[in-house]
């Protein structure tokens, strides 16, 4: 019975962590929880607006994830719940469906969360955590920049107090400038003041709950100057109580497009979640379980789908705040949960007076922090092809839609990867005067090969995509020698495995060298590769006496060939 209990705990890492809680962590977790709650209340209301639902739904959508992730998640630090990326993707997916099918927006948002939850749980069962690796760093940098621009343009109507009917980035910007004469000045002034306040507070006091302070001051301004009577829009009456269990309703016409989009949002949301978890795990010297994160994120979205919420992922900003205040476990999330519930039960009149322009400013402020200019510059210095991927992702997200833009970028990333595998670096190794070992003769002045011996290194696994390239470049290396070649030694330190196409090509290459009177040998052969050579019967053709573990033994065998 005890063993079964321990196995169950291993499957619930959050619960295991809570049961081994240390009293020394309590102060940091409580302080982090209260501060994060102060930050997330206006933030999540703004993300509710961004997702296209009522602002209070942003607070409802934080409740189930906080409980579930604290029990199921593998990271003791990340904060899950509404965040900018999934919010804007939710709006992008649902708005066209509502326009074409006249559906219930809130119900569709809940159904989308439900589908994402099911997809993530299926991914957990199938152990598909590796799918996040399809989104390389350049794609994420470009993607976040594109999402940030979409977030900013989506708030232009709110901060200007005008109605914008366009639903594309460039259409929204164009319409905003066409309607400059219609801007509601009190709304615009309030939004600009709040935005400036957010940047100033962030600069001077990085750990302060600046969104909460900004919204409280904006609310005080509305009450003091009666701005609501002058046309400044406020959140309005908030439903009493907490969310309740309900099944979202949907028609069959809406089901297929929702399911297709849910797959894309699940991949993006999971990638954001696991990358945030890995970043803080690396910083604080602990490990997370990438596959367990699929279960945690899936369960959280599933619960949100049943509790009137919308799709969620992790929040890097809230996690960073908690980390800076000394959070050590998910107790900080439970503390934040209690604070949010108390606010929903007893402070609804205050929340109802929040000006929507201030929430729009919070979204714009959050968006500017997603555009990582230093990372774009780093890509420029490192490799132009990766900068191209980042910029392509940004442009793809802006010109098409988020999911299609990311799909294009993933395709380009895979093409770039195949190009590097299909055309890798290679080297002919030789001796350098005054320098121990063997080195690429192209890299060192005065480097020379051993007469009669070509030691050739191919820096990629041999497979169908590159084996013809290997044969051509290896023969060119032989032709480039000024003395007749007697031995060709393939350095396999970068060749961990081969496929059947490569085996056949190596067999042909061996026969071609034999016809020229050149001995084919291999060095630095790993056990896995050795077994594959043996199973394919290529080993028998090469001869085990021509398989060497080190470069020096291969050279010694060449030098002793006449004996």
């Amino acid at each position: 019975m005890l063993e079964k209990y321990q196995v169950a705990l291993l499957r619930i890492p959050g619960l295991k962590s809570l049961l081994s809680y240390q009293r020394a962590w309590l102060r940091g977790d409580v302080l982090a929880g209260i501060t994060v709650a102060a930050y997330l209340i206006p933030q999540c209301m703004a993300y509710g607006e961004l997702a296209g639902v009522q602002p209070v739904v942003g607070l409802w959508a934080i409740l189930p994830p906080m409980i579930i992730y604290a029990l199921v998640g593998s990271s003791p630090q990340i904060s899950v719940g509404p965040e900018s990326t999934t919010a804007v993707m939710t709006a992008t997916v649902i708005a066209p469906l509502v326009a074409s099918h006249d559906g219930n927006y809130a119900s569709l948002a809940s159904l989308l969360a439900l589908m994402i939850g099911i997809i993530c749980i299926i991914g957990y069962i199938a152990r598909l955590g590796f799918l996040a690796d399809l989104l390389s760093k350049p794609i994420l940098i470009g993607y976040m920049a594109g999402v940030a621009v979409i977030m900013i343009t989506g708030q232009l109507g709110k901060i200007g107090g005008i109605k914008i009917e366009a639903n594309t980035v460039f259409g929204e910007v164009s319409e905003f400038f066409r309607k400059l004469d219609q801007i509601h000045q009190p709304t615009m002034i309030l939004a600009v003041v709040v935005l400036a306040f957010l940047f100033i507070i962030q600069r001077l006091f990085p750990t302060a709950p600046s969104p909460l302070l900004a919204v409280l001051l904006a609310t005080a301004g509305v009450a003091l100057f009666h701005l609501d009577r002058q046309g400044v829009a406020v959140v309005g009456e908030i439903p009493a109580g907490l969310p309740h269990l309900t099944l979202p309703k949907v028609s069959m016409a809406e089901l297929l497009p929702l399911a297709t989009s849910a797959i894309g949002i699940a991949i993006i949301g999971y990638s954001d979640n696991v990358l945030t978890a890995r970043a803080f795990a690396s910083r604080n010297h602990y490990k997370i379980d990438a596959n367990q994160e699929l279960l945690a994120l899936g369960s959280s979205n599933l619960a949100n789908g049943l509790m009137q919420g919308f799709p969620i992922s992790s929040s890097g900003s809230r996690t960073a705040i908690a980390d800076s205040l000394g959070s050590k476990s998910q107790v900080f999330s439970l503390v934040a949960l209690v604070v949010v519930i108390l606010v929903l039960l007893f402070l609804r009149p205050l929340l109802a007076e929040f000006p929507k322009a201030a929430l729009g400013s919070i979204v714009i402020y959050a968006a500017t922090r997603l555009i990582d200019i230093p990372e774009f510059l780093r890509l420029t210095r490192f490799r132009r092809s990766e900068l191209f991927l980042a910029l392509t992702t940004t442009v793809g997200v802006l010109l098409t839609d988020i999911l299609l833009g990311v799909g294009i970028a993933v395709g380009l990333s895979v093409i770039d990867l195949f190009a590097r595998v299909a055309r890798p670096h290679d080297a002919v190794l030789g001796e350098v005067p005054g320098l121990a070992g063997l080195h690429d003769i192209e890299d060192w002045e005065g480097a020379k090969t051993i007469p009669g011996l070509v030691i050739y290194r191919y820096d990629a696994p041999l497979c169908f995509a590159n084996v013809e390239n290997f044969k051509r470049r290896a023969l060119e290396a032989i032709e480039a020698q000024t003395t007749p070649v007697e031995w060709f030694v393939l350095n396999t330190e970068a060749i961990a495995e081969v496929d059947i196409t490569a085996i056949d090509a190596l067999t042909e290459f061996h026969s071609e060298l034999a016809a020229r009177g050149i001995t084919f040998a291999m060095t630095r052969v790993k056990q896995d590769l050795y077994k594959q050579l043996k199973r394919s019967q290529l080993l028998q053709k090469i001869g085990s006496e021509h398989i060497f573990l080190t470069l020096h033994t291969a050279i010694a065998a060449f030098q002793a060939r006449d004996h």
Side-chain angles (χ1 to χ4, degrees), residues 270-302:
Y270 169 69
S271 300
D272 187 25
N273 186 90
V274 80
L275 286 171
T276 301
R278 282 175 178 169
F280 284 91
S282 175
R283 178 184 300 181
N284 295 302
H285 312 294
Y286 58 83
K287 293 182 179 180
I288 61 119
D289 184 337
N291 207 59
Q292 184 70 22
E293 289 301 298
L294 270 174
L295 177 62
L297 186 63
S299 303
S300 299
N301 273 288
L302 186 66

Side-chain angles (χ1 to χ4, degrees), residues 193-232:
V193 169
V194 169
L195 193 58
F197 176 83
L198 287 167
F199 281 113
I200 292 170
I201 293 298
Q202 174 62 28
R203 178 82 179 215
L204 299 178
F205 308 102
T207 60
S210 51
L212 178 67
L213 297 175
V215 169
L216 289 177
L217 289 174
T219 304
V222 169
L224 185 62
F225 299 106
H226 306 291
L227 296 179
D228 53 332
R229 299 178 188 175
Q230 299 179 37
V232 174

Side-chain angles (χ1 to χ4, degrees), residues 405-485:
V406 171
I408 292 170
V410 169
L412 290 173
S413 183
V414 171
I415 291 171
D416 182 59
L417 173 63
F418 268 107
R420 291 203 294 270
V421 171
R423 300 294 183 267
H425 178 268
D426 69 341
V428 174
L429 304 182
E431 296 174 327
V432 179
L435 189 64
L438 296 173
H439 306 276
D440 186 346
I441 61 173
E442 296 292 331
D443 293 342
W444 297 89
E445 186 176 351
K448 294 181 179 179
T449 59
I450 299 170
L453 173 65
V454 172
I455 301 177
Y456 178 77
R457 191 185 71 215
Y458 196 71
D459 294 335
L462 284 178
C463 63
F464 68 94
N466 61 19
V467 70
E468 290 301 321
N469 175 262
F470 159 77
K471 285 174 58 180
R472 178 179 58 79
R473 292 162 75 177
L475 290 172
E476 287 174 356
I478 293 173
E479 297 295 337
Q481 299 302 303
T482 55
T483 57
V485 176

